[in-house]
Amino acid sequence: MQINHIIKIRENKSKIFTLLLLFIVVCSCTKRENKFTNSQVFRYNEHSNITSLDPAFAKDQRNIWAINQLYNGLVQLDDSLFVQPDIAKSWTISEDGKTYKFILRSNVKFHKHSLFGKDSTRNVVANDFEYSFNRLLAKNVASPGGWVLQNVKNFKAKNDSIFTINLKQTFPPFLGLLAMKYCSVVPKEAVDYFGDKFRSNPIGTGPFKFKLWVENTKLVLRKNSMYFEKDTEGNKLPYLEAVAITFLPDKQSEFLQFVQGNIDFMKSLDASYKDDILNTDGTLKEKYANKIIMQTGAYLNTEYLGIYLDGENEYSTKSKLIRQAINYGFDRKKMIKFLRNGIGTPATSGFIPKGLPSFNNQKGYSYQPEKATALVLQYIKESGNKNPEITITTNGNYLDLCEFIQRELQNIGLSTKVDVIPPSTLRQGKASGKLPVFRASWIADYPDAENYLSLFYSKNFTPNGPNYTHFKNDNFDALYEASIKETDVKKRYLLYQKMDSIIIQEAPVVPLYYDEVIRFSQKNIQGLGINPIDLLNLKRVIKK
């Protein structure tokens, strides 16, 4: 018994010693890893797990935001959506608008990695863009971004510093397309080595480099000390030492983490806490006004109701009278104030949203219930349909907006139902023409109004394009075809505005509101910026 007791004591001492040794090792490792302070790490939360760090799959905002820290392309957009140099320091465009010649910087290097041999890195050359663009189009890669190059006839590296692109036909918004993260440059050595695992072993040229990714838990990026960009005073970017992204799926939990100061930035306004943080006029509640910073700005997103025009003849929405009555029949300003806490701008100026240069603040649909009622009565008289009715199909996230519209339209004599279905079913229904009236939104892929007006070009009928309403107008089509060939910016904007006026008159959609970017950050965050495409750019952020 005594021998067994001694053995147990020795075993316990051994366990204690082992645990103590493990604690010392963990602490020493932690100290070695944390060479920088909390003020040098920018922390934010992403509700959904990032699916890939490969720019060929930069489809969703969650991926785009992380990829934007890791990679660069030929050009980039500033916060006013003007195209600026990136890896290409300059470019020229031929008179016919079809040939683009890019001159590359000579000092851009890929992130350090043993793949590049004893020097651990190498300069980006034009061949890297030729490889990256070919990869974007490759069938075996199956990138969702291949469409960006659909109008490209060919591209070629003339030498290490010159890269040319020839278009099939003139397309003035093309430079804006090249700013998309799909067009980022990647090194062939890394893609060949990692294969499918390149998604989780990214090597780019961006201001931050990859450090750690535990999927559904945490992503860590570290400062790229070799980054080529500098600020206006000649200081090297980025200022931060690291970026840490967590993946809490619950937005209420994220909000609590932000309020407690555990994360530096919160990117959205969720219904679960909007009334706690904002007044109905869109300003911060008094208890937060001195604690956090709120930024708002135009967002290239138009929320709307789409009306399918190839539907059955008995649908009352086949009549322009009813479509116009819907547009006049509800108070957009009241809807934004009480249901969105003032976040957003009532869409009373057409389909092209605020934030684009071609937005011209034209007169669209305002709240005129008497006029709406008269249009409904005129429809009843002309059609003989004594009880016109519509059904608005939506998903649960927008039920409150659609029920508000429902109540308003019933006051003008238009019987309205609201049908709630899952988001995936809604997407399938509007694409297949099974929904007479459907809630939708259009977020710009690139900063040009062509992106919005393509929704109404007759050759873009779904499923071959984004024309979900099946709107067809010969005058609109002629203007659209002229606009994509027009290289003069001012003339092109006038064509866009004429097309937008046709949309207002024919009413194939009911614009609801132009969305806004809203960002919340801690008081010690500077240089975060805000832009109409809601792109997160951390290279100029300072955390004091």
Side-chain angles (χ1 to χ4, degrees), residues 17-33:
F17 177 76
T18 301
L19 288 171
L20 182 61
L21 182 63
L22 182 61
F23 177 75
I24 292 169
V25 169
V26 169
C27 286
S28 61
C29 288
T30 302
K31 286 180 181 178
R32 282 200 300 270
E33 288 179 1

Side-chain angles (χ1 to χ4, degrees), residues 313-356:
N313 287 329
E314 62 264 25
Y315 291 153
S316 60
T317 47
K318 291 279 283 186
S319 169
K320 185 164 68 172
L321 295 171
I322 292 297
R323 299 198 301 270
Q324 290 179 333
I326 297 171
N327 271 290
Y328 283 121
F330 66 100
D331 191 338
R332 292 169 175 82
K333 293 181 180 179
K334 185 178 178 182
M335 180 179 72
I336 293 298
K337 180 176 181 179
F338 293 105
L339 298 183
R340 299 238 342 137
N341 289 70
I343 301 300
T345 303
T348 57
S349 301
F351 196 73
I352 298 174
K354 292 181 68 177
L356 281 175

Side-chain angles (χ1 to χ4, degrees), residues 176-194:
L177 279 175
L178 290 179
M180 297 181 70
K181 300 319 295 179
Y182 287 130
C183 300
S184 302
V185 69
V186 298
K188 184 178 186 298
E189 301 96 315
V191 177
D192 287 346
Y193 179 79
F194 289 111

